[in-house]
Amino acid sequence: MAPSSSRFVIYAALGGNLLVAVVKFVAAFMTGSAAMLSEAIHSLIDTGNQMLLLVGLRRAARPATALHPFGYGLELYFWTFVVALLIFGLGAGVSVIEGVSRIRHPQPVDHVVVNYVVLALAILFEGSVWLTALRAFRRNGKGRRGWLEAVRHSKDPTVFTVLFEDTAALCGLGVALLGNILAETLDLPMLDGVASILIGVILTVTAAFLARETQSLLTGEGMAVESQARVRGLALREPGVLGLNEMRSMHFGPSDVLVALSLDFDNGLSAGQVEQTVSRIEEQIRAAVPEVTHVFIEAQDASARLAKGRQ
């Protein structure tokens, strides 16, 4: 995922959530609906989350320094993890607390038609942002993979975070709308509080899923299996390379990967020939796998490495 594409998805979500949050707060004030207040808080938190993702993109783009020789790419994963915590701690927490309060002290929703109109408009706004994120995810991350497999495979958390945030938002809007309809139709105001709690549950599940995926990236995920196979094939195809002892890789960002190879070279090669071979392998890897930005190749005899491993 190119940074500009990621930013476009985030800006689209930011604008949509900010507009929706304002409208929801007005509706919550007019109607006194707990579910609507939960949805307003949810949209406000999502707006802040998009700002944090933009902060993560900006900080991750800083050049490498002596203190951070591989750059600051991991900051994007850190800020995405913070977003997951905010969804859980603020969004889900406030929704559940407000819902419990409304169940204990039920009050009829005033001007319920206002809620219907606002929720319908919010579904349209959120739906358009969701479609934007979905198209970006399909274009740059999903391919022919299943949804969960595509998220696990993706190393750019910005797009799938926006996608899952907006999916949770659409589900929450549906729950809020249904809660308001049932509360009015059945004359059971407590159902408004139940809807608020269900919105909190949706946000909790979303936050847990995002935290799990981001934690995996933050603690050092390697390249995808297909990319590893490509690198292995390029190294072993080069004349003079007898075998691959070991390969390690790690993502420092969506398009910032370190690859370390331990190769067994033909003992008949001169030092100069080994250097030329290493240079060719590095060039071929970078050309075949553009996200690889750092390549380190070690020349090591396979038998010596095996003996060392037995010690």
Side-chain angles (χ1 to χ4, degrees):
M1 170 68 67
S4 58
S5 180
S6 296
R7 284 190 172 87
F8 173 77
V9 173
I10 295 172
Y11 280 125
L14 176 63
N17 283 320
L18 184 59
L19 178 61
V20 169
V22 172
V23 175
K24 286 179 180 176
F25 271 115
V26 172
F29 176 76
M30 292 179 62
T31 64
S33 169
M36 181 60 77
L37 180 60
S38 295
E39 276 298 308
I41 294 171
H42 177 194
S43 293
L44 185 62
I45 292 170
D46 281 352
T47 302
N49 288 343
Q50 268 87 65
M51 292 180 179
L52 288 178
L53 291 177
L54 290 172
V55 169
L57 283 172
R58 181 177 58 82
R59 293 181 64 84
R62 290 179 296 170
T65 63
L67 189 61
H68 290 84
F70 293 106
Y72 292 84
L74 291 174
E75 284 227 26
L76 177 59
Y77 300 151
F78 167 76
W79 288 106
T80 307
F81 189 75
V82 171
V83 165
L85 295 180
L86 287 176
I87 293 174
F88 174 73
L90 293 180
V94 171
S95 296
V96 171
I97 291 172
E98 181 66 21
V100 170
S101 174
R102 188 53 56 95
I103 290 174
R104 293 179 62 188
H105 309 287
Q107 296 177 1
V109 174
D110 298 323
H111 310 293
V112 71
V113 175
V114 174
N115 271 358
Y116 295 157
V117 172
V118 169
L119 288 171
L121 291 174
I123 289 173
L124 289 176
F125 289 139
E126 294 281 6
S128 62
V129 175
W130 181 82
L131 286 174
T132 300
L134 180 64
R135 291 192 189 101
F137 186 63
R138 281 178 169 172
R139 183 172 60 251
N140 298 281
K142 187 178 183 298
R144 296 182 179 179
R145 301 181 179 89
W147 290 102
L148 291 179
E149 181 189 359
V151 171
R152 294 192 178 102
H153 180 270
S154 175
K155 301 301 185 291
D156 186 352
T158 54
V159 173
F160 71 70
T161 296
V162 173
L163 178 62
F164 277 90
E165 274 187 350
D166 287 327
T167 301
L170 285 173
C171 291
L173 287 167
V175 169
L177 182 59
L178 181 61
N180 274 258
I181 292 174
L182 291 177
E184 182 188 20
T185 304
L186 302 178
D187 194 23
L188 290 173
M190 65 174 293
L191 292 179
D192 183 47
V194 172
S196 182
I197 292 176
L198 290 177
I199 292 170
V201 172
I202 291 171
L203 294 178
T204 298
V205 172
T206 303
F209 184 80
L210 290 176
R212 180 180 179 276
E213 293 304 316
T214 308
Q215 178 268 340
S216 181
L217 292 168
L218 193 57
T219 51
E221 274 194 15
M223 281 193 305
V225 175
E226 312 91 85
S227 297
Q228 292 183 35
R230 197 175 303 132
V231 170
R232 184 182 297 107
L234 289 171
L236 294 176
R237 195 179 304 132
E238 189 67 26
V241 176
L242 301 181
L244 173 65
N245 299 322
E246 188 177 17
M247 178 173 65
R248 300 286 180 90
S249 64
M250 177 177 170
H251 268 268
F252 286 91
S255 301
D256 185 6
V257 181
L258 177 147
V259 174
L261 301 174
S262 172
L263 301 177
D264 182 11
F265 289 90
D266 186 343
N267 292 333
L269 295 178
S270 66
Q273 289 174 317
V274 170
E275 289 177 351
Q276 293 174 2
T277 302
V278 167
S279 296
R280 285 196 301 271
I281 293 174
E282 289 182 355
E283 291 176 1
Q284 291 171 9
I285 290 174
R286 288 193 173 96
V289 191
E291 64 265 28
V292 174
T293 53
H294 309 280
V295 182
F296 297 95
I297 299 178
E298 173 190 50
Q300 187 177 31
D301 184 79
S303 58
R305 181 181 180 277
L306 185 61
K308 182 179 179 181
R310 291 172 178 170
Q311 293 179 357

mmCIF file of all heavy atoms in Angstrom, residues 195-218:
data_model
loop_
_atom_site.group_PDB
_atom_site.id
_atom_site.type_symbol
_atom_site.label_atom_id
_atom_site.label_comp_id
_atom_site.label_asym_id
_atom_site.label_seq_id
_atom_site.Cartn_x
_atom_site.Cartn_y
_atom_site.Cartn_z
ATOM 1 N N ALA A 195 -29.329 -1.689 23.353
ATOM 2 C CA ALA A 195 -28.647 -1.388 22.087
ATOM 3 C C ALA A 195 -27.286 -0.757 22.341
ATOM 4 O O ALA A 195 -26.294 -1.072 21.656
ATOM 5 C CB ALA A 195 -29.508 -0.456 21.236
ATOM 6 N N SER A 196 -27.214 0.127 23.326
ATOM 7 C CA SER A 196 -25.945 0.774 23.661
ATOM 8 C C SER A 196 -24.913 -0.256 24.125
ATOM 9 O O SER A 196 -23.742 -0.197 23.751
ATOM 10 C CB SER A 196 -26.169 1.824 24.752
ATOM 11 O OG SER A 196 -24.968 2.504 25.057
ATOM 12 N N ILE A 197 -25.350 -1.230 24.940
ATOM 13 C CA ILE A 197 -24.446 -2.286 25.404
ATOM 14 C C ILE A 197 -23.966 -3.143 24.235
ATOM 15 O O ILE A 197 -22.781 -3.511 24.147
ATOM 16 C CB ILE A 197 -25.135 -3.159 26.472
ATOM 17 C CG1 ILE A 197 -25.360 -2.347 27.752
ATOM 18 C CG2 ILE A 197 -24.306 -4.410 26.778
ATOM 19 C CD1 ILE A 197 -26.116 -3.091 28.832
ATOM 20 N N LEU A 198 -24.886 -3.466 23.323
ATOM 21 C CA LEU A 198 -24.498 -4.264 22.150
ATOM 22 C C LEU A 198 -23.476 -3.524 21.285
ATOM 23 O O LEU A 198 -22.560 -4.134 20.726
ATOM 24 C CB LEU A 198 -25.735 -4.603 21.317
ATOM 25 C CG LEU A 198 -26.703 -5.616 21.953
ATOM 26 C CD1 LEU A 198 -27.924 -5.798 21.057
ATOM 27 C CD2 LEU A 198 -25.994 -6.952 22.179
ATOM 28 N N ILE A 199 -23.622 -2.202 21.180
ATOM 29 C CA ILE A 199 -22.629 -1.403 20.455
ATOM 30 C C ILE A 199 -21.274 -1.526 21.137
ATOM 31 O O ILE A 199 -20.235 -1.660 20.482
ATOM 32 C CB ILE A 199 -23.073 0.073 20.378
ATOM 33 C CG1 ILE A 199 -24.302 0.203 19.473
ATOM 34 C CG2 ILE A 199 -21.936 0.961 19.853
ATOM 35 C CD1 ILE A 199 -24.964 1.566 19.529
ATOM 36 N N GLY A 200 -21.275 -1.506 22.473
ATOM 37 C CA GLY A 200 -20.029 -1.692 23.218
ATOM 38 C C GLY A 200 -19.400 -3.050 22.958
ATOM 39 O O GLY A 200 -18.177 -3.173 22.848
ATOM 40 N N VAL A 201 -20.237 -4.087 22.851
ATOM 41 C CA VAL A 201 -19.735 -5.439 22.549
ATOM 42 C C VAL A 201 -19.097 -5.470 21.161
ATOM 43 O O VAL A 201 -18.012 -6.061 20.959
ATOM 44 C CB VAL A 201 -20.874 -6.475 22.645
ATOM 45 C CG1 VAL A 201 -20.402 -7.838 22.149
ATOM 46 C CG2 VAL A 201 -21.361 -6.587 24.089
ATOM 47 N N ILE A 202 -19.757 -4.844 20.192
ATOM 48 C CA ILE A 202 -19.203 -4.789 18.825
ATOM 49 C C ILE A 202 -17.841 -4.113 18.827
ATOM 50 O O ILE A 202 -16.883 -4.580 18.193
ATOM 51 C CB ILE A 202 -20.180 -4.042 17.891
ATOM 52 C CG1 ILE A 202 -21.443 -4.869 17.673
ATOM 53 C CG2 ILE A 202 -19.511 -3.727 16.548
ATOM 54 C CD1 ILE A 202 -22.556 -4.120 16.947
ATOM 55 N N LEU A 203 -17.727 -3.001 19.556
ATOM 56 C CA LEU A 203 -16.456 -2.276 19.621
ATOM 57 C C LEU A 203 -15.388 -3.094 20.338
ATOM 58 O O LEU A 203 -14.206 -3.047 19.979
ATOM 59 C CB LEU A 203 -16.659 -0.937 20.326
ATOM 60 C CG LEU A 203 -17.547 0.079 19.597
ATOM 61 C CD1 LEU A 203 -17.699 1.349 20.424
ATOM 62 C CD2 LEU A 203 -16.983 0.401 18.232
ATOM 63 N N THR A 204 -15.781 -3.851 21.357
ATOM 64 C CA THR A 204 -14.820 -4.687 22.076
ATOM 65 C C THR A 204 -14.235 -5.752 21.156
ATOM 66 O O THR A 204 -13.021 -5.981 21.141
ATOM 67 C CB THR A 204 -15.504 -5.365 23.283
ATOM 68 O OG1 THR A 204 -15.965 -4.365 24.189
ATOM 69 C CG2 THR A 204 -14.535 -6.291 24.008
ATOM 70 N N VAL A 205 -15.097 -6.412 20.385
ATOM 71 C CA VAL A 205 -14.632 -7.446 19.445
ATOM 72 C C VAL A 205 -13.711 -6.827 18.393
ATOM 73 O O VAL A 205 -12.651 -7.383 18.066
ATOM 74 C CB VAL A 205 -15.842 -8.132 18.769
ATOM 75 C CG1 VAL A 205 -15.367 -9.071 17.659
ATOM 76 C CG2 VAL A 205 -16.650 -8.908 19.803
ATOM 77 N N THR A 206 -14.097 -5.664 17.866
ATOM 78 C CA THR A 206 -13.269 -4.977 16.860
ATOM 79 C C THR A 206 -11.907 -4.604 17.433
ATOM 80 O O THR A 206 -10.870 -4.835 16.800
ATOM 81 C CB THR A 206 -13.981 -3.700 16.371
ATOM 82 O OG1 THR A 206 -15.262 -4.038 15.853
ATOM 83 C CG2 THR A 206 -13.160 -3.002 15.291
ATOM 84 N N ALA A 207 -11.902 -4.039 18.646
ATOM 85 C CA ALA A 207 -10.647 -3.631 19.280
ATOM 86 C C ALA A 207 -9.750 -4.827 19.543
ATOM 87 O O ALA A 207 -8.533 -4.766 19.327
ATOM 88 C CB ALA A 207 -10.940 -2.888 20.582
ATOM 89 N N ALA A 208 -10.334 -5.937 20.009
ATOM 90 C CA ALA A 208 -9.542 -7.136 20.301
ATOM 91 C C ALA A 208 -8.895 -7.683 19.032
ATOM 92 O O ALA A 208 -7.718 -8.075 19.037
ATOM 93 C CB ALA A 208 -10.428 -8.203 20.948
ATOM 94 N N PHE A 209 -9.651 -7.680 17.940
ATOM 95 C CA PHE A 209 -9.115 -8.191 16.678
ATOM 96 C C PHE A 209 -7.986 -7.306 16.161
ATOM 97 O O PHE A 209 -6.918 -7.803 15.768
ATOM 98 C CB PHE A 209 -10.236 -8.276 15.640
ATOM 99 C CG PHE A 209 -9.812 -8.881 14.333
ATOM 100 C CD1 PHE A 209 -9.703 -10.251 14.200
ATOM 101 C CD2 PHE A 209 -9.507 -8.079 13.250
ATOM 102 C CE1 PHE A 209 -9.303 -10.816 12.999
ATOM 103 C CE2 PHE A 209 -9.102 -8.623 12.048
ATOM 104 C CZ PHE A 209 -9.002 -10.010 11.921
ATOM 105 N N LEU A 210 -8.193 -5.983 16.186
ATOM 106 C CA LEU A 210 -7.162 -5.062 15.713
ATOM 107 C C LEU A 210 -5.918 -5.129 16.592
ATOM 108 O O LEU A 210 -4.789 -5.093 16.092
ATOM 109 C CB LEU A 210 -7.705 -3.633 15.681
ATOM 110 C CG LEU A 210 -8.769 -3.330 14.619
ATOM 111 C CD1 LEU A 210 -9.265 -1.896 14.780
ATOM 112 C CD2 LEU A 210 -8.208 -3.548 13.220
ATOM 113 N N ALA A 211 -6.112 -5.229 17.910
ATOM 114 C CA ALA A 211 -4.974 -5.306 18.825
ATOM 115 C C ALA A 211 -4.159 -6.556 18.559
ATOM 116 O O ALA A 211 -2.919 -6.531 18.567
ATOM 117 C CB ALA A 211 -5.456 -5.286 20.273
ATOM 118 N N ARG A 212 -4.841 -7.666 18.304
ATOM 119 C CA ARG A 212 -4.141 -8.920 18.042
ATOM 120 C C ARG A 212 -3.299 -8.839 16.773
ATOM 121 O O ARG A 212 -2.130 -9.254 16.752
ATOM 122 C CB ARG A 212 -5.160 -10.058 17.923
ATOM 123 C CG ARG A 212 -4.549 -11.430 17.648
ATOM 124 C CD ARG A 212 -5.623 -12.503 17.537
ATOM 125 N NE ARG A 212 -5.053 -13.806 17.264
ATOM 126 C CZ ARG A 212 -4.731 -14.238 16.048
ATOM 127 N NH1 ARG A 212 -4.920 -13.439 15.004
ATOM 128 N NH2 ARG A 212 -4.219 -15.437 15.867
ATOM 129 N N GLU A 213 -3.896 -8.304 15.709
ATOM 130 C CA GLU A 213 -3.161 -8.218 14.444
ATOM 131 C C GLU A 213 -2.011 -7.218 14.527
ATOM 132 O O GLU A 213 -0.922 -7.472 14.006
ATOM 133 C CB GLU A 213 -4.122 -7.816 13.313
ATOM 134 C CG GLU A 213 -5.165 -8.862 12.989
ATOM 135 C CD GLU A 213 -4.543 -10.207 12.648
ATOM 136 O OE1 GLU A 213 -3.560 -10.237 11.887
ATOM 137 O OE2 GLU A 213 -5.038 -11.228 13.145
ATOM 138 N N THR A 214 -2.218 -6.094 15.194
ATOM 139 C CA THR A 214 -1.179 -5.072 15.300
ATOM 140 C C THR A 214 -0.060 -5.541 16.223
ATOM 141 O O THR A 214 1.121 -5.250 15.980
ATOM 142 C CB THR A 214 -1.767 -3.758 15.826
ATOM 143 O OG1 THR A 214 -2.899 -3.407 15.038
ATOM 144 C CG2 THR A 214 -0.745 -2.640 15.740
ATOM 145 N N GLN A 215 -0.412 -6.263 17.288
ATOM 146 C CA GLN A 215 0.614 -6.797 18.196
ATOM 147 C C GLN A 215 1.564 -7.707 17.440
ATOM 148 O O GLN A 215 2.786 -7.695 17.663
ATOM 149 C CB GLN A 215 -0.065 -7.548 19.350
ATOM 150 C CG GLN A 215 0.895 -8.202 20.341
ATOM 151 C CD GLN A 215 1.215 -9.644 19.980
ATOM 152 O OE1 GLN A 215 0.476 -10.282 19.238
ATOM 153 N NE2 GLN A 215 2.334 -10.136 20.471
ATOM 154 N N SER A 216 1.038 -8.504 16.521
ATOM 155 C CA SER A 216 1.879 -9.395 15.733
ATOM 156 C C SER A 216 2.854 -8.598 14.863
ATOM 157 O O SER A 216 4.030 -8.958 14.736
ATOM 158 C CB SER A 216 0.999 -10.293 14.863
ATOM 159 O OG SER A 216 1.774 -11.182 14.096
ATOM 160 N N LEU A 217 2.372 -7.498 14.267
ATOM 161 C CA LEU A 217 3.240 -6.645 13.451
ATOM 162 C C LEU A 217 4.262 -5.925 14.319
ATOM 163 O O LEU A 217 5.441 -5.796 13.954
ATOM 164 C CB LEU A 217 2.400 -5.623 12.686
ATOM 165 C CG LEU A 217 1.484 -6.160 11.586
ATOM 166 C CD1 LEU A 217 0.506 -5.087 11.129
ATOM 167 C CD2 LEU A 217 2.304 -6.668 10.411
ATOM 168 N N LEU A 218 3.827 -5.464 15.474
ATOM 169 C CA LEU A 218 4.693 -4.681 16.359
ATOM 170 C C LEU A 218 5.836 -5.507 16.923
ATOM 171 O O LEU A 218 6.912 -4.976 17.209
ATOM 172 C CB LEU A 218 3.854 -4.089 17.494
ATOM 173 C CG LEU A 218 4.474 -2.998 18.366
ATOM 174 C CD1 LEU A 218 4.926 -1.823 17.517
ATOM 175 C CD2 LEU A 218 3.476 -2.534 19.409
#
